[in-house]
Amino acid sequence: MEKIKMTTPLVEMDGDEMTRILWKQIKDEVILPFVDLKTEYYDLGLVHREETKDQVTVDAANANKKYGVAVKCATITPNAQRVQEYNLSQMWKSPNGTIRATLDGTVFRAPIMVKGISPVVRTWKQPITIARHAYGDVYRATEYRVPGPGKAELVFTSDDHRRTAHWQTVHRFEGPGVLQAQFNTDKSITSFAHSCFQYALSTKQDLWFSTKDTISKQYDHTFKDIFQEIYEAEYKEKFEALGIEYFYTLIDDAVARVIRSKGGFIWACKNYDGDVMSDMVSTAFGSLAMMTSVLVSPDGNYEYEAAHGTVTRHYYKYLKGEETSTNPVATLFAWSGALRKRGELDGIEALGRFADVLEKATIDTIESGVMTGDLCAMWEGETPARKVTSLAFLREIRSRMEQELA
Ligand code: NAP
Ligand code: MG
């Protein structure tokens, strides 16, 4: 069989622990036998981040901007315990944070559905994709624990320094309390909107957007207005041509509609709503190991990743020589997503076809009853579940691919 040729390299970001082991197994078993893989490799494993003083993360993020498409392995976000474990000179920042800051993106997460594992919500028949704005709001807030009586004020001083452009009393405290200031920028909200509209077009799905604009008449209302203006100016005709819809509704109404829905749409959420709702939606669909996750920037850069972490507990078992049955599906779909997008951008149809075959073989394998341990507990299929190691699972996928591609 002749291997599929690539023209532009994928930006490959390697990672840590169990997912680093899976990374190599995936490449060896289901990618390299079929694709003449071309990547620009960045080792984001914590050891190399320390060696390069985290420069490798910055370089990888810039390469993502240069080439457009990256695939990323899960990485450790250091905490105090990791600083000791890896003898770090500094508590390096989250690589995902660095990459998001460079690309200015929106994170899209969607469940991978298989027959035999049903969503908790019975009406859901198709995936629900959450589009999470990954900038500002409570994640960049300034907070204060008010000690006792006093007055809280909101002051904005314009850049010309000649006058205070805005001043407002927030609250007259009679005793202790709490205080918080949040912000966002038109620039970031605008790119969030473009990412959502473009993702809806590229996946041909309806787009829902929800905030609490009836209560937050300046803050949330600005999000609503920016989305509406951009939609009408740049996307309305394209949506209509594809027969898809954009609509805005209040967050509480959206929650009720989501639960009653059949799925098959994108739900755009502000940063906090997206954080919370994506955990709810992913859990209701089954598992984080059965989710795709992609960061999309408004200028058309893509970073594909798994939604879960480095699966530390399994890694320690692996180091002791025990067999592990870690689910590689989310990482596998990060590869197929990235290769499909690369093929699309470079006009290499065979890459897209390969990604389809890889994904179908993965789903068929699970539906035939062969799966990793995490899925066995949820399995309701007719054939009894056969729990296999990650490697055996990948080999099963490979043999299905060989039949399909022969
Ligand atoms: P985790 O790696 O997602 O694992 C939590 C638990 O979820 C695992 O112990 C395992 O449960 C289950 N699990 C997750 N992925 C699985 C898979 N593919 N197959 C089977 N089971 C899976 O989260 P964590 O333990 O909180 O974090 C570990 C490290 O990952 C941390 O250093 C954190 O910084 C990092 N992290 C990275 C990313 C990222 O790079 N995107 C995201 C989150 C966390 P059982 O043990 O019950 O089998
Ligand atoms: Mg969360």
Side-chain angles (χ1 to χ4, degrees), residues 17 72-77 82 96 289 305-314 325-327 374:
E17 299 193 313
K72 180 181 170 291
C73 181
T75 47
I76 292 168
T77 299
R82 298 294 197 170
N96 291 329
E305 53 165 18
H308 57 77
T310 58
V311 211
T312 312
R313 202 180 65 83
H314 295 211
S325 181
T326 316
N327 189 339
D374 57 317

Side-chain angles (χ1 to χ4, degrees), residues 185-300:
T185 64
D186 283 20
K187 178 167 178 271
S188 181
I189 300 166
T190 300
S191 59
F192 172 40
H194 280 293
S195 296
C196 292
F197 289 125
Q198 282 167 20
Y199 197 77
L201 287 176
S202 81
T203 60
K204 301 188 183 61
Q205 296 183 89
D206 289 346
L207 177 68
W208 304 14
F209 180 43
S210 58
T211 73
K212 193 73 182 176
D213 69 289
T214 45
I215 299 299
S216 172
K217 291 188 195 306
Q218 297 291 331
Y219 202 110
D220 282 15
H221 214 288
T222 300
F223 277 77
K224 177 185 175 179
D225 289 346
I226 288 177
F227 265 69
Q228 195 61 36
E229 280 157 25
I230 291 175
Y231 175 66
E232 274 163 26
E234 298 184 43
Y235 295 99
K236 194 164 188 279
E237 281 171 23
K238 291 176 191 151
F239 269 55
E240 284 168 0
L242 276 183
I244 58 174
E245 192 189 3
Y246 164 66
F247 82 94
Y248 174 87
T249 188
L250 284 171
I251 179 87
D252 32 4
D253 179 49
V255 168
R257 284 179 189 236
V258 164
I259 296 296
R260 288 195 309 262
S261 77
K262 291 196 177 72
F265 55 89
I266 300 158
W267 181 13
C269 291
K270 285 177 62 198
N271 209 346
Y272 178 83
D273 298 339
D275 184 350
V276 176
M277 293 306 164
S278 68
D279 280 22
M280 186 197 70
V281 169
S282 67
T283 307
F285 269 105
S287 144
L288 266 191
M290 296 294 285
M291 292 279 286
T292 62
S293 181
V294 56
L295 174 71
V296 181
S297 83
D299 46 352

Side-chain angles (χ1 to χ4, degrees), residues 9 15 44 47 53 124 146 161 175 199 202 204 219 224 236 263 274 289 297 301 306 317 340 345 378 380 387:
L44 265 52
V47 174
K53 303 287 171 230
W124 291 356
V146 174
H161 294 296
Y199 197 77
S202 81
K204 301 188 183 61
Y219 202 110
K224 177 185 175 179
K236 194 164 188 279
S297 83
N301 297 307
K317 282 172 78 174
R340 180 184 290 112
L345 296 177
M378 294 182 278
E380 297 173 333
K387 178 181 164 180

